[in-house]
Amino acid sequence: MTDSVLWVYVTAGDAEEATAIGRALVRERLAACVNILPGHTAIYRDDVVLREAEEVAFVAKTTAARFEPLRARIRALHSYDLPAILALPAAEGDAEFLDWVRARVAPQE
């Protein structure tokens, strides 16, 4: 069975942090590529207080088999106590691109 491809959505405090994490994920073959998205405002509840903060999001392309090591590495590098890490399955996609993702995150022998 072919390893399914995931889009992993993550938020970071700023572009510098997102870039540092993204580079580590690609360098360590945990993600095939990382796209850093422009800044946005997050609105969330912290206990009972409504808060707003500027953040940067990024999307990492990986496989289901590499998700747990990727998640652990993000947690290790991230400044947040509880970073948003959401894995979404790529239900459909260009077969050649999906194979490219799989090849880039496959452990080297």
Side-chain angles (χ1 to χ4, degrees):
M1 181 175 188
T2 306
D3 195 12
S4 61
V5 172
L6 303 175
W7 275 34
V8 182
Y9 173 86
V10 184
T11 58
D14 57 33
E16 184 177 322
E17 180 176 40
T19 300
I21 293 171
R23 285 182 179 148
L25 297 177
V26 173
R27 185 180 312 113
E28 297 168 24
R29 298 179 68 89
L30 297 171
C33 70
V34 171
N35 300 105
I36 299 171
L37 309 173
H40 60 270
T41 301
I43 302 170
Y44 60 98
R45 186 174 301 280
D46 184 8
D47 295 321
V48 296
V49 178
L50 191 66
R51 301 205 185 267
E52 293 186 20
E54 295 304 310
E55 291 184 316
V56 171
F58 63 92
V59 176
K61 282 80 140 198
T62 193
T63 61
R66 297 297 276 163
F67 176 72
E68 277 306 315
L70 176 132
R71 184 199 59 76
R73 190 66 173 128
I74 292 169
R75 293 290 301 262
L77 295 171
H78 211 290
S79 65
Y80 292 179
D81 291 335
L82 182 60
I85 305 170
L86 301 170
L88 306 168
E92 296 290 333
D94 180 83
E96 197 171 331
F97 176 75
L98 297 176
D99 288 343
W100 178 86
V101 171
R102 291 181 189 104
R104 296 304 176 282
V105 298
Q108 292 181 327
E109 304 201 11

